[in-house]
Amino acid sequence: MGCTAEDVVAAVRAGAAVMAEHRDELINLDRVIGDADHGENMDRGFRAVRVKLDEVEPETPGAVLKLVATTLISTVGGASGPLYGTAFLRAATAVGAAPELDGPAVAAALRAGLEGVVARGKAVAEDKTMVDALIPAVGAARAGAEEGAGPARVLAVAAEAAHAGAAATEPLVARKGRASYLGERSAGHVDPGARSTALLLSAFADSRSPE
Ligand code: ADP
Ligand code: MG
């Protein structure tokens, strides 16, 4: 079964709930290698998204993703707002006006999101950023879709890979963003943006019943 606009709204709302739930954890991760605002930024952005979704009912999955993008761009300061905003915007463009998304469409949306983050932030693998969660997520999503997985399964394998990618940022020395100012001292801590990416993907995945 395809993923409808209603399903995408449910996924985004689940993501918002997880950002609220993990606000302090993300703040604490950012406290050690950044400026302690990542949890606040993400929670603020997704609270604004919830308010928007109470006001309007986007008709397609792409329209939901676009609403998320514009809201995050206008409400989240810092590096992560424009990066996540660009990711959702590119994902929206990738899915176009399709009324429902199948497994390959979800995988393509994730890939477009990663490309957006890279175009904007210029990070590569192992720079200790959200890209380190997104790269394995995109790979797993593509493999899943090629094996015929539906949208829920594609999101589930992507989320699992993203969590592994986020955990693997711990020993890395940051080469992008605020954490890079710490040089070698950034090693030994998980990157907050990689963690929030993994949390969002598992929230999206869990919002759908298994197929
Ligand atoms: P700020 O760093 O401005 O305080 P946040 O704390 O909200 O913004 O977000 C920090 C996160 O943004 C980092 O943990 C990292 O994952 C991500 N990030 C920072 N710079 C880049 C970049 N150039 N490319 C990809 N992700 C980045
Ligand atoms: Mg910060």
Side-chain angles (χ1 to χ4, degrees):
M1 210 183 69
C3 185
T4 63
E6 219 170 50
D7 294 328
V8 181
V9 168
V12 169
R13 285 189 182 279
V18 165
M19 288 300 98
E21 206 179 302
H22 289 264
R23 182 179 186 276
D24 291 349
E25 180 201 336
L26 294 171
I27 284 174
N28 290 332
L29 287 176
D30 197 30
R31 191 187 314 283
V32 272
I33 60 167
D35 56 354
D37 66 353
H38 188 58
E40 199 180 310
N41 287 341
M42 296 304 288
D43 185 36
R44 184 190 324 111
F46 275 91
R47 260 190 289 125
V49 168
R50 271 176 162 164
V51 169
K52 281 266 173 67
L53 287 173
D54 288 339
E55 293 165 5
V56 294
E57 212 172 297
E59 282 179 10
T60 60
V64 181
L65 295 171
K66 188 159 181 205
L67 175 149
V68 174
T70 53
T71 308
L72 293 182
I73 289 168
S74 62
T75 57
V76 182
S80 60
L83 289 165
Y84 272 116
T86 306
F88 280 98
L89 204 54
R90 293 283 187 103
T93 305
V95 304
E100 285 193 18
L101 310 181
D102 57 8
V106 171
L110 279 172
R111 184 189 187 85
L114 164 64
E115 285 168 359
V117 171
V118 170
R120 176 120 206 163
K122 311 278 183 275
V124 298
E126 305 203 333
D127 277 352
K128 198 181 181 97
T129 71
M130 59 178 75
V131 165
D132 292 316
L134 279 169
I135 289 174
V138 166
R142 182 210 202 127
E146 278 170 3
E147 284 162 19
R153 182 80 198 133
V154 165
L155 282 172
V157 296
E160 198 183 329
H163 278 284
T169 63
E170 187 170 337
L172 299 175
V173 172
R175 289 187 299 231
K176 278 281 184 297
R178 225 174 258 283
S180 65
Y181 308 157
L182 290 181
E184 299 288 328
R185 280 181 296 137
S186 63
H189 311 281
V190 167
D191 176 63
R195 175 73 178 148
S196 62
T197 291
L199 287 169
L200 280 175
L201 287 174
S202 46
F204 296 166
D206 293 347
S207 73
R208 302 234 338 140
S209 53
E211 293 156 35

